[in-house]
Amino acid sequence: MPQDMEIDPEVLSIIQRAKRVTILTGAGVSAESGVATFRSYKEETKESLWSQYDPQKMASIEGFLKNPNRVWQWYQWRRSELKSKKPNDAHKAIAKWQQSKDQRVTLITQNVDGLHQAGGSKDVIELHGNIWSNHCLQCRAEYKGNTDGVEDVIECPKCGGQVRPSVVWFGEALPEKAWRDAESASYSCDVFLSVGTSSQVYPAAGLAALAKSQGATVIEVNPEPTESSVVDYFIVGRAGEVLINILNT
Ligand code: BJW
Ligand code: ZN
């Protein structure tokens, strides 16, 4: 989608009239920063994480308990990949939008990469945790030590348990406060904008339906059709280009 392409004026008008906008982002928002998605589309499929790694082995407590070092090393590799990544137009456009005086814009992300914060967003609701934090599996204490270059799982200094990345794996509950805030922002918005997510992973994927049940208009931004069945308007395009267009129109 070219930068100067017009988005359907009807959709733009709905977005502009909204007092409260809730944005849910997924891996597609970081794709333009060079971060691999989980279930990428078309030509990028080969590079997506789940096409190369088994989510059961890498992103579940069972996988971690079976082979903690393998999982730890995978996250260390992803951290080292992420170190050079910079926020892109999508992250920056959302951060700018959040500063609007006329609209209340709440950002919910499934991403763990911290790029929204690096792009200037504040009060980011992180549903799946943050890859830069670690905590003890046993006593849950945050581990604040430096993990740069650490190849094997660290022992918790408090209880001797295993230290793990503070992300949400399959089968695990989402952080309570983040989920509460996400539900309340979805309940109370006029427009729910779902950007760069395949809408396959629950409970995050259910927020759009929650918003719709309370009368919000659900708008999706994605270069590809998704699993979501509650979308009122679909904007085909990359996150950065579309969000800049929305903001500048
Ligand atoms: C672009 C673009 C560009 C490309 N611009 N777009 C039914 C109901 C409820 C739950 C379940 C259910 N069925 C099964 C479940 C369980 C499970 C689940 O949903 N599984 C499905 C896969 C079927 N859910 C869970 O297990 C969750 N927990 C849970 O349910 O707990 C229950 C419980 C309650 C109480 C006590 C105990 C338990 C937890 C889910 C955790 C997900 N974790 C991961 C890994 C995080 C850590 C890590 O990074 O390693 O989170 S999985 C992975 O998927 C990651 C993502 O946040 C998440 C979502 O992916 P996302 O963001 O949508 O990315 P992709 O790759 O799928 O899509 C990218 C999109 O971008 C594509 O559409 C592209 O087209 C697009 N794109 N370029 C815009 N430039
Ligand atoms: Zn501990």
Side-chain angles (χ1 to χ4, degrees), residues 25-218:
T25 64
V29 159
S30 293
E32 289 164 69
S33 295
V35 181
T37 59
F38 295 91
R39 312 161 187 82
S40 226
Y41 72 104
K42 277 185 181 164
E43 70 269 21
E44 287 173 18
T45 304
K46 277 198 207 99
E47 290 160 25
S48 71
L49 290 170
W50 296 157
S51 67
Q52 302 171 77
Y53 303 95
D54 179 352
Q56 255 331 99
K57 284 186 181 151
M58 300 305 193
S60 76
I61 191 66
E62 293 79 16
F64 182 76
L65 292 174
K66 199 163 185 194
N67 195 338
N69 284 340
R70 175 173 62 194
V71 174
W72 175 259
Q73 282 155 16
W74 189 63
Y75 280 92
Q76 288 294 73
W77 164 72
R78 284 181 53 202
R79 285 168 175 159
S80 70
E81 291 284 299
L82 277 173
K83 273 208 168 129
S84 60
K85 307 298 188 230
K86 302 268 182 297
N88 63 51
D89 285 348
H91 299 109
K92 290 179 204 163
I94 292 171
K96 194 168 162 202
W97 199 355
Q98 285 184 287
Q99 284 163 17
S100 155
K101 291 201 174 67
D102 307 322
Q103 293 180 307
R104 178 150 172 212
V105 180
T106 305
L107 174 60
I108 308 168
T109 190
Q110 296 168 85
N111 298 346
V112 299
D113 54 29
L115 285 175
H116 279 301
Q117 291 88 335
S121 278
K122 297 203 169 62
D123 303 323
V124 185
I125 302 173
E126 292 182 310
L127 290 183
H128 294 161
N130 191 297
I131 199 169
W132 301 108
S133 304
N134 299 286
H135 69 270
C136 171
L137 191 61
Q138 200 162 284
C139 74
R140 301 200 65 82
E142 187 181 0
Y143 178 79
K144 291 200 172 127
N146 183 7
T147 57
D148 276 358
V150 175
E151 284 184 9
D152 291 338
V153 166
I154 299 165
E155 262 187 24
C156 170
K158 294 201 168 117
C159 77
Q162 290 169 314
V163 170
R164 58 163 283 183
S166 298
V167 296
V168 180
W169 286 328
F170 285 112
E172 293 186 320
L174 273 52
E176 246 175 69
K177 182 175 185 313
W179 181 246
R180 248 196 339 264
D181 290 350
E183 275 190 318
S184 121
S186 306
Y187 256 122
S188 57
C189 64
D190 307 306
V191 163
F192 185 92
L193 197 63
S194 176
V195 190
T197 172
S198 60
S199 300
Q200 286 183 37
V201 176
Y202 284 82
L207 290 171
L210 201 63
K212 191 163 175 154
S213 74
Q214 298 303 305
T217 305
V218 177

